[in-house]
Amino acid sequence: MQTTITVRISSLFFLLSFLFVSCQTKIITNFNKYENLSLADKKEVNQYLEEAKKSISKKEDEIILMFQYNCFFDKVLDVNGKFTESFPQKENTIHYGQKFINFSKSIGNISITQSDGKRIVIPQKEGYDYISICYYNKGDKFFIHYYDFPKLLIVE
């Protein structure tokens, strides 16, 4: 009798743990270096790269977090407990673009907490000074893209 109860409880915990793992927020990470882009992609990036480097001020000891605005509608983000940024949604606006935030590389891992309680920790990667971040609410996924160049959101 004791063994049967133990087996049932163990089975229940196993099923609950599987359910918990399958419901966690997923993180999808990509890495892009300029030198590895296709010729077509390099051509697209070259169209804005020099101007972007002039308009996006970045020091050698900094990284830039690039937040795709529409990924964070109606959310407030807390970054490393030191910086807060809000992303309201305004009526009749088709495209919102990106927000750029400069941080010193010395901050280490980047901890982002959304106003809805979702939290992600993003490690810095050597050679990648631009990190694009997007949260897809319906799929409960964070998309983290590391770049060694500023990747601008192009709208046609």
Side-chain angles (χ1 to χ4, degrees), residues 69-70 72-74 86-96 99:
Y69 199 103
N70 61 334
F72 299 100
F73 280 150
D74 298 326
S86 62
F87 293 81
Q89 183 174 1
K90 298 176 187 135
E91 298 268 341
N92 299 320
T93 302
I94 297 169
H95 175 67
Y96 292 85
K99 282 192 177 185

Side-chain angles (χ1 to χ4, degrees), residues 15-154:
L15 290 173
L16 287 175
S17 67
F18 179 73
L19 201 84
F20 176 73
V21 170
S22 65
C23 294
Q24 287 183 337
T25 302
K26 293 178 178 61
I27 300 172
I28 298 161
T29 307
N30 291 319
F31 298 86
N32 291 84
K33 284 201 170 278
Y34 177 81
E35 65 189 36
N36 297 334
L37 295 176
S38 69
L39 288 177
D41 288 342
K42 280 183 181 176
K43 183 177 180 183
E44 177 186 325
V45 170
N46 288 342
Q47 291 177 358
Y48 70 79
L49 193 58
E50 287 307 313
E51 194 61 38
K53 286 183 178 181
K54 290 177 193 173
S55 63
I56 301 171
S57 62
K58 182 189 146 337
K59 298 174 186 166
E60 190 61 35
D61 64 342
E62 290 182 323
I63 59 168
I64 295 184
L65 301 182
M66 303 178 293
F67 294 94
Q68 191 171 326
Y69 199 103
N70 61 334
C71 295
F72 299 100
F73 280 150
D74 298 326
K75 293 196 175 26
V76 176
L77 302 182
D78 176 80
V79 183
N80 281 29
K82 297 178 182 179
F83 185 84
T84 303
E85 187 66 48
S86 62
F87 293 81
Q89 183 174 1
K90 298 176 187 135
E91 298 268 341
N92 299 320
T93 302
I94 297 169
H95 175 67
Y96 292 85
Q98 293 170 297
K99 282 192 177 185
F100 299 95
I101 303 173
N102 295 43
F103 282 98
S104 171
K105 290 180 182 179
S106 66
I107 67 168
N109 289 342
I110 301 153
S111 175
I112 299 172
T113 305
Q114 295 183 159
S115 51
D116 64 1
K118 298 285 182 194
R119 183 173 179 268
I120 185 171
V121 176
I122 303 169
Q124 294 183 43
K125 301 291 184 186
E126 184 71 32
Y128 296 93
D129 290 350
Y130 301 88
I131 304 171
S132 175
I133 304 159
C134 182
Y135 176 70
Y136 178 57
N137 196 34
K138 290 182 183 177
D140 194 23
K141 296 178 184 175
F142 276 101
F143 292 89
I144 310 302
H145 298 273
Y146 292 86
Y147 298 94
D148 67 345
F149 60 94
K151 173 66 172 162
L152 297 184
L153 182 62
I154 305 296

